Structures are given as structure tokens and as C-alpha cells.
Amino acid sequence: TCPHRLLVVEAKRTGRSFELPVEKRRRSYVVRNLSGEHHGVGKAIRQVRSYADDQGVQYACATNGAQWVVFHAITRKLAWLDGSAIVFRSLADIENGFVEFWNLLSYEAVQSGSLRDTFAPSAKDRPSFIRALQSLAYADAALQRNPLASDLDPLIRAVFSDLGGGR
């Protein structure tokens, strides 16, 4: 089991269709292009994003039962509106792409990281971590202390022990 929530779903009343862009075969969109107020889906996207933000959940989905819009609601280094959204336009679209739908949104898939993998930033945008020792010449060499270190150590301890709570 997962100790925290991974996805917030806002289910709108069936029958109220979302106005989606006309490209029928396209699956991925920039959230901003879907979330304008002139689209029926815009209000649902903003509402579910607000819920996700309030609960600290990274991923959100707006649906009316037949149409599904899934997106990364809380992002780093990128405004959430500039992120991508995966769109399933209709029940027929879900049926035709059922494996993709299942592999993205089934309980097991979400638990195993399908949303993280789908919305992961490109390699160039991911933070990189390096150890300081990797960039040092002679990192394995013995540490040479400054000759004044033994004289300064008692003075530094006396001055800074008050700042650190003392020992």
C-alpha cells in the first residue's frame, strides 16, 4: 500500500461534455491549451488542480465519465499550466486505447509509478546530484591540517559553543 495519495479525480456529471481541441489522434496537450475559461474542461481542470494543491497531491484528473484529462498538478521548475496533459476524448477513444488507459490509470499502474513515469521531466530538466569528492583532485589523499588549526580550535569552540547551544 502507498502511504500517501497519488491522484485526485474530479468527476463531473455525465452528459456535460468537455470542449476539447479538434485533433482526434493526438493524446498529449499543454495544460494551458485545455484550461481556458472558454472550454468546458477549463473549470474542471482548475477545480481539481485546486483540490490537488490543497492536499499536496502531485497528479490530477478531470473527467465526466466519458472524457478524461490527466495532468501533473504540482510541478517543479515549471508552471503547472505549462506541463502536459493526457486526454482520452470519449468512451470509444478509451476502448481503442484501453491498454494505454489501463496502464496509466489503473490502481496497480498508479501505485507502481505510471503517472510519475508519464509526466517525468526530460533528462536535461531533472536535477543532477554529484558528490563534492567527485570533483576534487587527489580526493583520496590524506587531509593536511593548517598548522594554526590546533591553536585556533579551543578559541573557535569557546566563541561558537554559545551559538550552537554549547556543550
Side-chain angles (χ1 to χ4, degrees):
T1 63
C2 188
H4 57 281
R5 295 180 184 134
L6 299 172
L7 174 67
V8 174
V9 178
E10 169 61 18
K12 293 298 187 187
R13 185 176 305 153
T14 302
R16 291 192 177 182
S17 76
F18 297 148
E19 183 182 333
L20 297 169
V22 296
E23 303 100 336
K24 301 259 189 248
R25 298 198 186 278
R26 191 167 163 195
R27 179 78 66 215
S28 181
Y29 293 88
V30 174
V31 176
R32 182 179 310 282
N33 296 339
L34 299 173
S35 65
E37 290 304 316
H38 62 283
H39 298 296
V41 72
K43 186 175 180 183
I45 286 174
R46 290 180 186 282
Q47 184 177 21
V48 73
R49 196 282 175 168
S50 174
Y51 295 158
D53 190 36
D54 290 347
Q55 297 174 26
V57 178
Q58 283 193 326
Y59 304 99
C61 175
T63 181
N64 59 14
Q67 298 169 303
W68 295 69
V69 178
V70 185
F71 61 98
H72 200 168
I74 300 175
T75 59
R76 291 185 194 159
K77 294 187 176 183
L78 180 71
W80 71 274
L81 285 169
D82 294 329
S84 63
I86 304 298
V87 174
F88 293 90
R89 307 175 158 281
S90 64
L91 292 176
D93 189 22
I94 292 170
E95 183 178 16
N96 292 335
F98 185 75
V99 172
E100 184 181 359
F101 183 81
W102 182 262
N103 288 342
L104 180 66
L105 292 172
S106 71
Y107 178 82
E108 295 82 7
V110 171
Q111 291 288 85
S112 67
S114 64
L115 297 169
R116 180 195 62 234
D117 296 343
T118 299
F119 295 107
S122 64
K124 67 179 179 63
D125 295 331
R126 289 186 196 134
S128 60
F129 302 97
I130 56 171
R131 293 177 40 202
L133 287 176
Q134 290 173 320
S135 61
L136 292 177
Y138 309 110
D140 294 334
L143 182 61
Q144 299 292 320
R145 295 270 180 202
N146 184 310
L148 296 175
S150 59
D151 295 329
L152 291 175
D153 190 48
L155 178 63
I156 290 171
R157 287 186 189 275
V159 170
F160 290 103
S161 65
D162 288 344
L163 296 176
R167 286 188 195 171

